[in-house]
């Protein structure tokens, strides 16, 4: 599949770890549960995923660089809300929203990579501008909006969530 000792392998593993940990953290946020270890793994892996994306050789700014930059800004807000402000007041909801947005971007890129690398998906959307790709990304967006809303209003909006 891929060599875990290459930059591509390390970047891919970090992405998969961030997504897996992020899903666990998101489910915890929806329930209002604190998951400090999982949160730390998620945030660290998400930051490292975005940072390692800039280590690949490139000669021009690509959409992946823009997404990586946006992801790092969102993660900075999440980290500040969690560790800098201790989830105090509105920072609880800001942290939850930014953590969910960060996970969404990881999954968004994962779906794009799946359409680029998996033959059956690539056949459905070879340029990623075809309806199957847009539908898949639309479903991902709707799922994250709904789950993010639940996390902010039920768990992270004022429940027992703690750093």
């Amino acid at each position: 599949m891929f060599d875990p000792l290459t930059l591509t392998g390390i970047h891919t593993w970090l992405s998969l770890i961030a997504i897996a940990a992020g899903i666990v953290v998101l489910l915890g946020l929806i329930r209002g549960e604190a998951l400090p270890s999982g949160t730390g793994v998620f945030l660290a892996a998400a930051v490292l995923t975005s940072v390692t994306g800039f280590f690949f050789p490139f000669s021009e700014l690509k959409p992946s660089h823009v997404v990586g930059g946006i992801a790092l800004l969102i993660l900075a807000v999440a980290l500040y809300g969690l560790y800098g402000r201790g989830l105090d007041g509105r920072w609880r909801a800001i942290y939850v929203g930014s953590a969910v947005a960060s996970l969404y971007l990881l999954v968004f890129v994962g779906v794009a990579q799946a359409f680029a690398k998996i033959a059956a998906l690539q056949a459905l959307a070879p340029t990623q501008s075809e309806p199957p790709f847009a539908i898949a990304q639309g479903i991902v967006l709707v799922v994250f909006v709904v789950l993010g809303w639940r996390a902010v209003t039920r768990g992270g909006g004022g429940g027992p969530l703690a750093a």
Side-chain angles (χ1 to χ4, degrees), residues 57-123:
F58 64 94
S59 59
E60 63 184 35
L61 186 67
K62 296 182 178 180
S64 59
H65 299 113
V66 173
V67 171
I70 292 169
L72 287 170
L73 289 173
I74 290 170
L75 285 161
V77 171
L79 289 164
Y80 181 71
L82 180 60
Y83 299 115
R85 299 299 298 218
L87 303 176
D88 186 44
R90 76 177 105 185
W91 282 101
R92 179 182 304 269
I94 292 169
Y95 160 73
V96 172
S98 55
V100 173
S102 173
L103 179 58
Y104 163 72
L105 288 176
L106 289 164
V107 173
F108 174 87
V109 171
V111 169
Q113 287 297 311
F115 272 89
K117 308 278 190 221
I118 298 172
L121 294 176
Q122 191 177 35

